[in-house]
Amino acid sequence: METLVFLFSFSALGVLYAMNTTPEFQEPYVILEIGVAVLVIVFLFYFLITRGNPPKDILFFVFAEFCFTCIIDLTSALEYDGIISGFMEFYQKTGEPYLGTSYAIMMCYWDGIAHFILYLVMISRITDRKAYRTLGLFWAGSLCANMSVFIAGIVAGKYGSEIRPAFWLNFLFLLMPVWGAISLFTRPKDRPLIGGYNAQQAQSMKLIWRPLDLILVVLLLASMAFTTLRGLVALDSPLEACSIYLKQYEPYLKDPVGYPRVMMLHLFFYGLPLLGAFVYGLLKPGCTWMSDWTIFFAGAVIQCQWAHIGGSLHSRTMAPFRIPNDAFWTVLAANLLYAVTPILVALRVHSDPYFFLKIAPFPGQTGLPNSEEKDTKYKEK
């Protein structure tokens, strides 16, 4: 099935070429109508071909549908970078002109490559009746961050006065990962939540005897400080440290397109509490929620940082907003470390989960003193 989805997704190129060569299809409202019609047709196509053996998971149709749009995003990025031509010229003018910003181009590359691969893998696992919950949470975090920053950046940035009808299609691509995240969070975990002797041993060790966790706590605290600094910069804080950082390190945070500013505010108001929660989870044993939220947050941060780093280096970003040459490697290293830290935490939680499990009582152990245990048994009789 994943092969069919892969091949059918490239039919998006035919749709784009037809619209690019037909002036009647290039009016703003016509673009919206065609977009909705194409999405409906793609859904009906997959619904009909799977009717004889319908997938057990309804998210199959979401992933298959989004594979189609991934090719459109990749085509958009490639055409804006001058690698291909003849597919998206009309859309650049009357569809969504903000897709030509450096941040949006990098976002489209991520969607067209990373998300496309994730969709194919998850479709394959659904078809084979295998679990994909962890991979799905990574996708949900990535796409939720992607679309929330994208939509808010359009409205808050310089393109807020150039919103066209096709803009409203983006809300579908925000609502679907939100719904998918809720669905995945409420499903049973891929791994058990209860551990025995190994979990008890792991949870009896203090942080000083867990050097890897100690390093991760330090990295998380550094990430919290970095998030706070850039969040205050985005909020126009008058602090001298914020002014120095903005002028000498990341002037891209004030790019008038709006995306960097919105992204920093997202991380400040939503990412900062999660980073603090992860520190708590590494200190307090038995936090079973760590396995899900670390994966979700890792997907969100890696997507944001990909678009942010790539956007700040892209040729379409005006020179005054690019990273200064004398601070280039410092800023790049800080951003890369910031992107990697949540991934390292997620890998730590999933590779050795005993510290984050609930401890099951051993045979004969009820947690009550002998006298209380006898009284309880007597009352039950």
Side-chain angles (χ1 to χ4, degrees):
M1 178 58 69
E2 62 273 15
T3 304
L4 176 62
V5 172
F6 176 82
L7 295 175
F8 182 74
S9 298
F10 283 91
S11 64
L13 297 176
V15 175
L16 293 174
Y17 182 77
M19 294 179 69
N20 198 54
T21 55
T22 308
E24 293 80 4
F25 292 164
Q26 298 175 14
E27 296 297 322
Y29 281 100
V30 175
I31 292 175
L32 174 62
E33 293 167 0
I34 293 176
V36 172
V38 168
L39 292 176
V40 171
I41 291 171
V42 172
F43 172 78
L44 291 175
F45 171 79
Y46 288 116
F47 178 78
L48 292 173
I49 65 172
T50 59
R51 190 169 54 175
N53 184 24
K56 297 290 185 181
D57 195 329
I58 195 172
L59 284 176
F60 167 87
F61 296 104
V62 175
F63 300 151
E65 185 97 46
F66 282 11
C67 277
F68 189 89
T69 61
C70 282
I71 300 302
I72 296 176
D73 283 345
L74 183 59
T75 304
S76 173
L78 291 173
E79 184 148 336
Y80 272 115
D81 277 344
I83 299 173
I84 62 174
S85 62
F87 293 96
M88 298 288 291
E89 293 176 7
F90 75 98
Y91 206 74
Q92 296 172 4
K93 299 175 182 177
T94 58
E96 296 185 89
Y98 36 79
L99 287 177
T101 61
S102 56
Y103 187 97
I105 289 172
M106 299 308 298
M107 182 198 74
C108 286
Y109 275 124
W110 182 264
D111 192 50
I113 299 173
H115 286 163
F116 188 57
I117 294 172
L118 285 174
Y119 293 140
L120 293 177
V121 173
M122 291 189 290
I123 288 171
S124 175
R125 296 191 70 83
I126 291 174
T127 304
D128 296 338
R129 303 293 194 267
K130 295 180 180 179
Y132 71 94
R133 185 174 179 276
T134 299
L135 199 62
L137 287 172
F138 184 88
W139 158 78
S142 176
L143 192 55
C144 283
N146 184 331
M147 296 311 302
S148 60
V149 172
F150 182 59
I151 292 173
I154 294 169
V155 177
K158 71 176 186 179
Y159 287 96
S161 60
E162 298 185 42
I163 293 177
R164 314 288 170 77
F167 163 79
W168 301 105
L169 283 174
N170 290 304
F171 284 92
L172 173 66
F173 300 102
L174 174 61
L175 293 176
M176 286 296 101
V178 171
W179 170 67
I182 295 172
S183 173
L184 291 166
F185 270 116
T186 54
R187 295 182 186 184
K189 293 179 181 287
D190 296 338
R191 292 184 176 185
L193 294 175
I194 299 177
Y197 179 77
N198 289 336
Q200 188 179 50
Q201 288 290 101
Q203 295 181 17
S204 65
M205 298 176 64
K206 294 184 178 180
L207 182 64
I208 191 66
W209 302 114
R210 293 181 282 128
L212 177 59
D213 290 355
L214 180 60
I215 293 172
L216 290 176
V217 167
V218 172
L219 289 175
L220 286 170
L221 292 174
S223 296
M224 292 175 68
F226 195 47
T227 302
T228 302
L229 173 63
R230 299 202 294 182
L232 292 175
V233 170
L235 290 170
D236 295 321
S237 171
L239 292 175
E240 184 179 358
C242 296
S243 300
I244 292 174
Y245 186 80
L246 179 63
K247 294 177 181 179
Q248 299 182 12
Y249 293 94
E250 282 200 87
Y252 182 58
L253 297 181
K254 287 300 182 180
D255 191 317
V257 297
Y259 298 118
R261 180 190 183 101
V262 170
M263 194 192 93
M264 295 308 145
L265 293 176
H266 272 62
L267 292 172
F268 184 64
F269 289 111
Y270 304 113
L272 185 60
L274 278 175
L275 290 169
F278 296 157
V279 173
Y280 174 83
L282 288 170
L283 297 175
K284 178 72 173 178
C287 294
T288 57
W289 49 267
M290 284 281 284
S291 60
D292 286 348
W293 282 100
T294 52
I295 287 291
F296 182 85
F297 188 66
V301 171
I302 192 65
Q303 190 283 327
C304 286
Q305 285 298 105
W306 162 269
H308 179 72
I309 296 171
S312 64
L313 301 176
H314 199 276
S315 59
R316 282 181 173 264
T317 297
M318 294 183 289
F321 298 105
R322 296 181 194 171
I323 303 174
N325 291 331
D326 55 347
F328 179 84
W329 292 111
T330 302
V331 174
L332 184 61
N335 275 279
L336 289 175
L337 186 60
Y338 186 80
V340 169
T341 296
I343 297 176
L344 294 177
V345 175
L347 290 174
R348 156 68 182 96
V349 174
H350 283 264
S351 62
D352 187 14
Y354 294 114
F355 186 80
F356 311 97
L357 301 179
K358 295 179 180 178
I359 299 178
F362 295 107
Q365 180 183 355
T366 62
L368 297 172
N370 291 335
S371 60
E372 293 183 19
E373 185 175 348
K374 289 178 182 179
D375 291 343
T376 302
K377 290 181 180 179
Y378 178 79
K379 290 177 182 178
E380 289 177 354
K381 290 181 181 181

